[in-house]
Amino acid sequence: MARTIAPAPRGETRISIMMTTASSAASRPAPRRLGADLFELLGSMRFAVSLLVFICLASVVGTVVVQNQPSNNYVNQFGPFWYEVFDVFSLYHVYNAWWFLLIMGFLVVSTSLCILRTSPKMIRDMRSFREHVREASLRAFHHHAEFSSAAARPAEVADEVAGLLRRRGYALRIKSSGEASLVAAKTGSGNRLGYIFAHTAIVIVCIGGLLDSELPIRLQIWFGGKQPLFENMAIADVPASGRLGPGNPSFRGNVLVPEGGQTRNAIVMVDDGALVQPLPFTLELKKFVVEYYSTGMPRLFASEVEVTDHGTGERFPATIKVNEPLRYKGITVYQSSFDDGGSSLELTGYALRGSQPYTFPVSGTVGGTARLVADDAGGNEALKDLSVEFSGFRPINVENFAGGGVGAAQPKALREQVAAVAGSAARPGQNDAFRNVGPSVQYKLRDASGQAHEFHNYMLPIELDGVPVFLTGVRASPDEDFRYVRMPADADRSLKEFMALRAALQDPQARALAARRFAAANRPAAGDDELTAQLRESAERALDTFAGGGLQSIARFLESNVPAAEQQRAADVVVKLLGGAMAELRAVARERSGLPPLPTDGEGAAEAAAWNQAAVAALSDLFLYPAPVVLGLKDFRHVQASVFQVSRTPGKNAVYLGCVLLILGVFSMLYIRERRVWLWIKPGAGGQGAHSLMAMTSQRRTLDFNQEFERLKADIAALPLHQKG
């Protein structure tokens, strides 16, 4: 009790008594503990459903956005700004992002608490017959009925009804209370197990997913001192911090093994870094086998390997195919794909600068680098600053020659219609639309400042528009298509004559000689020397302008010196003049190379004209070619390599178990209906006979349930003891 003295009006003193009683304290809610609130939140079904919704949304993002690609691919696709935004939320590896794993962990905890809170109640309810129901409660049921029997006793009716229900598959319990009896029956209680199975399946699947995710590896990075490597180095030089333990519980890595090579380590990618995972065995690739469809796409590829156990020294052969992996010591080796294993390449470099047809040899291996010129560059000093990086080799390229394919491509816009592959494919007669156009090499030329362009050159000439041409493609970045230059092949199916013509075009003396020959061959019949001189000057000016920048230079010259209305007519004249002058320049180049003159009539003349036209287009395109050299593939030694995915997935069996439980749970909840029946049987009026009150209920009042109730009511009414009344 507390007293306060407060001034009263008009100077009086009043005493106010404030009392705190136990009843008033009980009326105020007691402060709840934080732990209880947190437990209630985690065990709430709404919280679990919310987490599941977040996981579904994240899975949608992981499906739409291609996962686990190099960073530069995302920069090229989305741009630098959106790349940074998406990278903040780890949208490029959603399923291993910290927030996704955290949500998965909370979902496991929340769903587990839901199961622990509700399962005991459900199990008790499944086992209970609810035999404490009252007669008044049964009358309140929607589905109820009453029966009377004047000659039978309540116990006899109870036994007969119990036999009927047992025949119907009901489990029951009879409870007697004086002369009255209660028959409580139930069937379909396994419906409640569906809830337990389904929710347990979610927990098991999530645990399996966490075990097979990057979580075990990231825990080692966060707390075990492991550090991913971001620079290239030999595996023998990798420090202990960059190596995972042999007993690492879960990982997923990649292995590239060339034919005749072997490996005992896998590379596990973590974001943009990598960790080395030792394997308990050595994998040696003896032979790689590949078969193809007529389109050039692989139909079957398999690896014949030999496995050596590190512990026992045991060796045994195995064949790894797509969908037929090798499983050994808890590790699964999948056939992922195939690649080049370091093929040896021999190339010829053709200089594109200078007035001499300079060539030089270049050799290297796929995946390696080489300097272009180590000694004299034939006056092409720009070659000395270039290095070549061999990025790919394909011994077979199958192209689509149907409408819109290679045959219809523009000189600088050839696009591959079918993926180029390695091996034998496109056998004659299988598909005329697809043809094998031979090997190709892919490389990058990098200058002293580090800038590079990528090139794709075919080894053999391809006949396009009636002219056999060598295709050399170029692009500035991987997200672009290759733009191809068509360089015509000579009678020896080489580039020697075209390169001799290119060198002659850069020689002023050769251009002057060609112009004189053109003027002499086209001089007027009257022998007008002045007109012949003008024709020579025009031809030489056309060659000089073309030698300075190709057809683009001629177009600029016409725009600057010819009125707009006359440009089209002047262009036709200049093109014809240039074509004739280039034909004479080709004759000069052939003489210098010791080649015989070209035919001047018949089919040979038509072929020469087509060759000249292709050469003019190619020479013009070479002025836009971003390199002073073209590398032509001369010879190769193909080395195939197999790409394996190596994984240890302890959560796989847990996921399988969870899927089985989920199927059982869903089917139980959908197709098992719980039904309960009560019959309260007591003596009839005046203590004679028996009076029965039946009630029936189910979780779902469907049409089938209504029909079942009517059948059961009719069967009970048709019992002999009820008929006696």
Side-chain angles (χ1 to χ4, degrees), residues 401-419:
F401 279 75
V406 175
Q410 297 300 319
K412 294 165 55 181
L414 173 65
R415 298 189 180 186
E416 296 182 23
Q417 302 296 316
V418 179

Side-chain angles (χ1 to χ4, degrees), residues 144-145 186 246 248 301 306 333 384 509 528 531 611 636 654 720:
H144 71 275
K186 63 183 178 68
N248 185 25
F301 50 93
E306 184 178 75
V333 183
K384 296 183 178 181
Q509 296 181 359
D528 190 339
L531 187 57
W611 193 98
F636 62 88

Side-chain angles (χ1 to χ4, degrees), residues 379-635:
N380 294 271
E381 296 296 330
L383 298 179
K384 296 183 178 181
D385 297 328
L386 293 178
S387 62
V388 58
E389 302 170 3
F390 298 103
S391 55
F393 169 73
R394 299 169 181 168
I396 290 294
N397 290 270
V398 178
E399 303 289 357
N400 186 358
F401 279 75
V406 175
Q410 297 300 319
K412 294 165 55 181
L414 173 65
R415 298 189 180 186
E416 296 182 23
Q417 302 296 316
V418 179
V421 294
S424 60
R427 297 180 180 87
Q430 287 188 330
N431 194 328
D432 293 336
F434 295 95
R435 301 180 191 173
N436 173 20
V437 296
S440 68
V441 62
Q442 199 163 318
Y443 60 89
K444 291 181 180 179
L445 288 180
R446 194 174 300 276
D447 59 22
S449 63
Q451 299 298 316
H453 284 80
E454 191 172 12
F455 301 86
H456 182 212
N457 297 351
Y458 288 86
M459 179 180 183
L460 303 176
I462 303 172
E463 186 171 333
L464 299 179
D465 298 332
V467 179
V469 295
F470 286 93
L471 297 175
T472 174
V474 60
R475 64 182 179 184
S477 62
D479 59 331
E480 296 180 0
D481 292 320
F482 281 104
R483 297 175 293 115
Y484 286 84
V485 178
R486 298 178 177 182
M487 296 181 293
D490 54 27
D492 295 330
R493 300 177 66 83
S494 71
L495 283 173
K496 292 181 179 179
E497 184 174 358
F498 175 77
M499 290 301 170
L501 177 61
R502 182 214 61 78
L505 181 63
Q506 298 300 319
D507 185 357
Q509 296 181 359
R511 294 198 301 268
L513 178 58
R516 289 196 300 270
R517 290 187 178 184
F518 175 77
N522 295 274
R523 64 184 300 171
D528 190 339
D529 293 337
E530 183 178 356
L531 187 57
T532 301
Q534 292 177 357
L535 187 59
R536 179 185 57 78
E537 292 176 1
S538 299
E540 190 170 357
R541 185 181 300 113
L543 288 175
D544 292 343
T545 305
F546 183 76
L551 296 176
Q552 298 83 358
S553 293
I554 291 179
R556 289 192 295 268
F557 175 82
L558 294 176
E559 290 175 358
S560 302
N561 298 276
V562 179
E566 301 291 333
Q567 287 180 5
Q568 183 60 47
R569 187 176 65 85
D572 294 338
V573 173
V574 172
V575 168
K576 293 180 181 179
L577 183 67
L578 177 64
M582 287 297 298
E584 295 296 339
L585 185 63
R586 181 189 180 188
V588 172
R590 287 178 65 88
E591 289 178 5
R592 291 182 173 182
S593 301
L595 298 175
L598 293 169
T600 58
D601 55 5
E603 184 177 350
E607 292 179 356
W611 193 98
N612 293 341
Q613 185 177 0
V616 169
L619 289 170
S620 179
D621 288 340
L622 284 180
F623 286 101
L624 303 176
Y625 198 73
V629 64
V630 169
L631 300 183
L633 184 59
K634 179 181 178 182
D635 196 5

Side-chain angles (χ1 to χ4, degrees), residues 15 35 66 76 89 137 162-163 168 173 177 186 236 259 261 273 339 364 375 395 411 423 511 523-524 587:
I15 298 177
V66 181
N76 294 333
F89 298 99
S137 300
R168 290 291 189 86
R173 182 174 295 176
S177 178
K186 63 183 178 68
E259 285 183 324
D339 205 342
D375 49 13
R511 294 198 301 268
R523 64 184 300 171

Side-chain angles (χ1 to χ4, degrees), residues 38-107:
L38 181 61
F39 181 82
E40 182 176 352
L41 173 64
L42 292 177
S44 169
M45 182 58 66
R46 293 182 178 179
F47 183 70
V49 171
S50 300
L51 294 177
L52 192 59
V53 169
F54 276 112
I55 289 178
C56 292
L57 293 176
S59 300
V60 171
V61 175
T63 303
V64 174
V65 179
V66 181
Q67 299 291 291
N68 302 318
Q69 297 294 309
S71 300
N72 59 329
N73 289 8
Y74 297 115
V75 174
N76 294 333
Q77 183 177 1
F78 301 110
F81 174 77
W82 287 110
Y83 166 77
E84 295 292 343
V85 173
F86 293 165
D87 189 53
V88 170
F89 298 99
S90 302
L91 299 186
Y92 307 127
H93 41 86
V94 170
Y95 304 112
N96 291 299
W98 66 267
W99 54 267
F100 185 85
L101 299 177
L102 184 64
I103 293 176
M104 289 273 287
F106 271 112
L107 181 61

Side-chain angles (χ1 to χ4, degrees), residues 108-375:
V108 170
V109 174
S110 178
T111 309
S112 300
L113 291 177
C114 289
I115 295 173
L116 293 176
R117 292 178 59 181
T118 58
S119 294
K121 299 177 183 178
M122 288 188 174
I123 293 175
R124 287 196 300 269
D125 190 61
M126 287 171 53
R127 301 177 62 181
S128 172
F129 286 87
R130 302 180 187 177
E131 65 269 24
H132 301 291
V133 66
R134 297 177 179 272
E135 181 181 2
S137 300
L138 297 180
R139 294 184 184 277
F141 278 59
H142 182 271
H143 293 79
H144 71 275
E146 299 188 43
F147 312 93
S148 296
S149 177
R153 292 179 298 173
E156 295 175 340
V157 174
D159 291 340
E160 193 165 1
V161 169
L164 173 64
L165 292 174
R166 286 191 182 97
R167 291 192 297 272
R168 290 291 189 86
Y170 283 84
L172 55 86
R173 182 174 295 176
I174 300 176
K175 179 181 179 182
S176 299
S177 178
E179 296 184 3
S181 297
L182 175 66
V183 179
K186 63 183 178 68
T187 186
S189 297
N191 173 273
R192 303 299 178 87
L193 291 176
Y195 173 90
I196 299 175
F197 286 166
H199 287 73
T200 304
I202 294 176
V203 174
I204 294 176
V205 169
C206 289
I207 292 176
L210 290 173
L211 289 176
D212 290 349
S213 68
E214 288 185 1
L215 182 60
I217 293 178
R218 291 189 179 274
L219 289 176
Q220 296 180 60
I221 295 174
W222 295 336
F223 306 109
K226 300 300 180 182
Q227 297 179 356
L229 305 173
F230 296 94
E231 65 276 359
N232 294 327
M233 65 173 61
I235 292 182
D237 299 333
V238 175
S241 60
R243 296 177 179 270
L244 298 169
N248 185 25
S250 173
F251 65 87
R252 192 180 302 273
N254 295 305
V255 175
L256 187 147
V257 186
E259 285 183 324
Q262 60 183 16
T263 184
R264 56 194 306 167
N265 298 283
I267 305 300
V268 178
M269 302 304 299
V270 182
D271 297 334
D272 291 333
L275 292 168
V276 176
Q277 173 63 58
L279 302 177
F281 53 83
T282 296
L283 198 65
E284 181 179 359
L285 180 61
K286 293 294 186 178
K287 184 179 180 182
F288 183 80
V289 181
V290 61
E291 297 179 3
Y292 297 91
Y293 294 105
S294 61
T295 60
M297 299 301 293
R299 178 177 60 186
L300 168 70
F301 50 93
S303 300
E304 297 179 3
V305 302
E306 184 178 75
V307 181
T308 303
D309 191 303
H310 293 168
T312 64
E314 177 189 1
R315 292 173 176 263
F316 62 91
T319 300
I320 305 174
K321 300 180 181 179
V322 177
N323 299 326
E324 296 183 19
L326 166 68
R327 293 183 173 89
Y328 186 65
K329 286 199 167 183
I331 294 179
T332 305
V333 183
Y334 297 93
Q335 180 70 64
S336 177
S337 61
F338 56 90
D339 205 342
D340 191 277
S343 298
S344 299
L345 306 176
E346 297 292 335
L347 303 98
T348 299
Y350 297 93
L352 300 180
R353 304 290 187 268
S355 58
Q356 296 296 324
Y358 178 71
T359 62
F360 54 93
V362 179
S363 61
T365 58
V366 175
T369 61
R371 299 298 301 179
L372 280 186
V373 179
D375 49 13

